Amino acid sequence: MPGRWSLAGEQPKLDLARHSKVELAQKIGGEYRADHSGERHWRRLAHSAHVDGDEFCHQITTMAELLPAALDETIIELDLSEVESAAATRIATAIKKWVSICLSHLGD
């Protein structure tokens, strides 16, 4: 498992200016491209998993809405040095932007 310092080195990879080139590790409803994954893709995934699409999309939306506050709480609760805290905050900010993008696509 990578140490905390390696997380700071990952910061350049979180550049949102290039978000259209980001591919997910696993397909969502047949789509690898993060910026192309919308509600229809989540519903397709729900269907293939034999779960209710409405409930599944509701759960995904709820988790996405809760994630920003959970990130903030986690950073506060951790005993991080000033450098680690700065790196964690930069990463959390990038993740929050991604959450915002994903939530906007859930309405597609």
Side-chain angles (χ1 to χ4, degrees):
M1 185 160 173
R4 290 187 211 165
W5 288 109
S6 66
L7 289 177
E10 295 298 315
Q11 177 60 28
K13 296 179 183 175
L14 295 174
D15 181 10
L16 291 173
R18 297 179 291 164
H19 76 276
S20 64
K21 300 205 183 285
V22 172
E23 288 191 0
L24 303 169
Q26 179 178 342
K27 286 183 181 180
I28 296 175
E31 183 59 66
Y32 274 116
R33 295 172 298 175
D35 66 329
H36 285 76
S37 298
E39 183 176 346
R40 72 178 189 273
H41 297 96
W42 287 104
R43 288 187 178 280
R44 193 178 303 147
L45 178 60
H47 178 75
S48 68
H50 306 290
V51 297
D52 179 74
D54 290 334
E55 180 61 26
F56 190 70
C57 286
H58 175 73
Q59 291 284 339
I60 295 298
T61 302
T62 300
M63 285 190 290
E65 291 170 344
L66 293 173
L67 185 58
L71 287 169
D72 290 338
E73 290 173 24
T74 301
I75 291 171
I76 290 168
E77 289 177 12
L78 292 173
D79 184 23
L80 301 175
S81 71
E82 188 175 326
V83 172
E84 292 170 326
S85 180
T89 300
R90 284 192 309 273
I91 293 168
T93 299
I95 291 170
K96 289 175 192 179
K97 288 179 183 176
W98 268 108
V99 166
S100 177
I101 290 167
C102 291
L103 282 172
S104 71
H105 289 182
L106 279 172
D108 294 346

